[in-house]
Amino acid sequence: MTQAPARPASTRREHDREIVALAVPAFGALVAEPLFVLADSAIVGHLGTAQLAGLGVASALLTTAVSVFVFLAYATTAAVARRVGAGDLPAAIRQGMDGIWLALLLGAAVITVTLPTAPAVVDLFGASPTAAPYATTYLRISALGIPAMLVVLAATGVLRGLQDTRTPLYVAVGGFVANAVLNAGLVYGAGLGIAGSAWGTVTAQCGMAAVYLTVVVRGARKHGASLRPDVAGIRASAQAGAPLLVRTLSLRAILMIATAVAARLGDADIAAHQIVLSLWSLLAFALDAIAIAGQAIIGRYLGAEDAEGARAACRRMVQWGIAVGAALGLLVAVARPVFLPLFTGDPAVTDTALPALLVVALSQPLCGVVFVLDGVLMGASDGPYLAWAMLLTLAVFTPAALLVPAFGGGLTALWGAMTLMMAVRMLTLWLRARSGRWLVTGATRR
């Protein structure tokens, strides 16, 4: 980014307080979400291996499907925050309602496709004959909760745009507790088996969506915003989300390619890769929390037509990203010999994972910059650039990853390719941030 006059320490402290106030609850909500799957796995696992295997296949499909639609949260956050910055709360909530209506339409479409195709999709993903019936049952029932899951994404974006990350934290924690209680009661108390787990999760998701809708509807009535679907507004939400969908699909493709390459390296390598990838994903939650704060703060500054304030906030968040990334990297480097035995007792897997984890540790400051700038550009509604940048990153990463086994490289080399991927992302994002072309002010990005 271009240099600007240093802002007073009081302004930096103000940025720090705002970043912490938004990022800490956001981190809690992000961590709570994966606990749904963990709770389901712990409860279903006692039913038998086939049931647990079926849950594994179905939950992987559901997680992938929902992650594809995460743009509902990202695009809505930016659009709502801009209108908040412009001082137009009715328009902000109206924009949020458009995102929620889009989520309902997409959820209905996913149900329509999933229910009849569930057995074929389960077979396509290689479920064994004993696990396939359980996977199909869980997938079909859980698909009924997808509209609620997408509403949760969109409504989370609304509240983040309104500078509220505490409510999503409370809803996520409440949803996790309800999910665990319902699952235990329906699986064992009612004797419904894996179907009970699916129904418990669907019920918890619908409850979360109902809470969000209550909060948003209350805000709409307070500020006189319409709750009716608006075709133009829904279309605008879809257009804003489309580039972010391309970005997300490209990132998912990178992770799938990395896993496929690790599988070709051998059993010890794919096992070690799964451990390393799990830790990398956990670290990403901490950095993504700062990115979420960035989406809300940058959108608000640009909506208020304060380009210099947005630039200063971006600079401060990058400093936060580097500092948090360095701290996480140091923690991983020091704790990796203690961390690995929690997941495996196989010396071959441990020996393979140790150097790869060191690569992950060293790359965390770089990851911090990437996540923050990604959030900043999302907050600026700069989706088209993010889409093209991620497609370029995919084009660079794919041959680099595929060359790892060709040249006899191992898991450490593969994670070197992953670090290259993050370096390319940082370069593209830094060039955009430095150019200032993302600093488009106003209630909408024209």
Side-chain angles (χ1 to χ4, degrees):
M1 294 173 292
T2 54
Q3 293 296 317
R7 288 214 159 193
S10 60
T11 303
R12 291 197 299 272
R13 286 195 296 270
E14 181 182 342
H15 285 153
D16 291 345
R17 286 194 296 270
E18 194 167 28
I19 291 168
V20 170
L22 291 171
V24 172
F27 173 69
L30 289 170
V31 171
E33 291 170 8
L35 295 179
F36 269 72
V37 177
L38 289 177
D40 288 2
S41 299
I43 292 169
V44 171
H46 292 286
L47 294 174
T49 301
Q51 288 90 332
L52 184 59
L55 172 66
V57 172
S59 62
L61 290 167
L62 290 164
T63 301
T64 300
V66 173
S67 67
V68 165
F69 295 111
V70 74
F71 69 84
L72 288 166
Y74 294 158
T76 304
T77 297
V80 171
R82 275 183 175 270
R83 287 161 176 80
V84 169
D88 192 348
L89 282 177
I93 296 174
R94 172 67 261 177
Q95 180 68 42
M97 285 304 305
D98 291 336
I100 290 172
W101 280 111
L102 176 61
L104 287 170
L105 291 173
L106 291 173
V110 173
I111 287 179
T112 302
V113 172
T114 303
L115 291 181
T117 62
V121 173
V122 166
D123 288 340
L124 182 64
F125 275 74
S128 68
T130 54
Y134 297 111
T136 301
T137 297
Y138 191 92
L139 182 59
R140 276 182 164 157
I141 297 172
S142 294
L144 300 176
I146 287 179
M149 295 167 73
L150 299 190
V151 166
V152 167
L153 286 177
T156 299
V158 176
L159 295 181
R160 289 173 180 170
L162 294 171
Q163 318 296 296
D164 176 8
T165 56
R166 290 183 178 274
T167 300
L169 171 61
Y170 300 148
V171 175
V173 172
F176 166 70
V177 173
N179 177 67
V181 172
L182 287 167
N183 270 254
L186 293 174
V187 170
Y188 297 111
L192 296 180
I194 195 170
S197 176
W199 282 117
T201 300
V202 168
T203 304
Q205 289 162 347
C206 290
M208 292 170 66
V211 172
Y212 274 120
L213 289 174
T214 299
V215 173
V216 174
V217 168
R218 185 180 300 153
R221 288 175 175 168
K222 178 180 178 181
H223 296 285
S226 174
L227 297 174
R228 295 179 179 178
D230 177 69
V231 174
I234 295 172
R235 185 185 302 115
S237 294
Q239 289 172 345
L244 296 179
L245 174 61
V246 173
R247 167 205 168 274
T248 301
L249 289 174
S250 300
L251 180 57
R252 297 296 303 183
I254 286 171
L255 298 178
M256 290 176 64
I257 290 169
T259 300
V261 170
R264 293 177 60 188
L265 297 176
D267 290 347
D269 292 87
I270 184 60
H273 174 74
Q274 198 59 37
I275 296 171
V276 176
L277 183 61
S278 297
L279 178 61
W280 188 81
S281 300
L282 179 62
L283 298 173
F285 284 137
L287 299 173
D288 202 28
I290 305 175
I292 288 170
Q295 294 170 30
I297 293 170
I298 295 299
R300 193 192 71 234
Y301 271 115
L302 294 178
E305 302 196 7
D306 185 358
E308 186 51 43
R311 190 188 293 275
C314 172
R315 185 177 295 108
R316 190 58 178 162
M317 280 183 282
V318 168
Q319 294 170 353
W320 268 85
I322 294 172
V324 173
L328 292 174
L330 180 62
L331 180 63
V332 172
V334 172
R336 59 198 176 105
V338 179
F339 169 78
L340 283 172
L342 298 175
F343 290 86
T344 180
D346 187 339
V349 175
T350 301
D351 291 345
T352 302
L354 273 171
L357 279 175
L358 184 58
V359 173
V360 169
L362 294 173
S363 70
Q364 286 310 294
L366 172 68
C367 293
V369 176
V370 169
F371 275 84
V372 167
L373 290 181
D374 202 40
V376 164
L377 296 184
M378 283 184 190
S381 303
D382 204 10
Y385 182 84
L386 290 172
W388 284 111
M390 190 58 80
L391 287 171
L392 173 63
T393 303
L394 175 61
V396 173
F397 171 77
T398 300
L402 295 178
L403 286 173
V404 169
F407 282 91
L411 187 67
T412 303
L414 176 59
W415 275 92
M418 288 286 285
T419 302
L420 171 65
M421 177 269 293
M422 295 301 289
V424 173
R425 288 186 70 187
M426 190 194 75
L427 178 62
T428 58
L429 297 173
W430 177 79
L431 288 173
R432 186 64 168 183
R434 186 175 183 273
S435 74
R437 293 177 183 173
W438 56 280
L439 291 166
V440 180
T441 59
T444 60
R445 184 182 175 99
R446 295 174 292 275

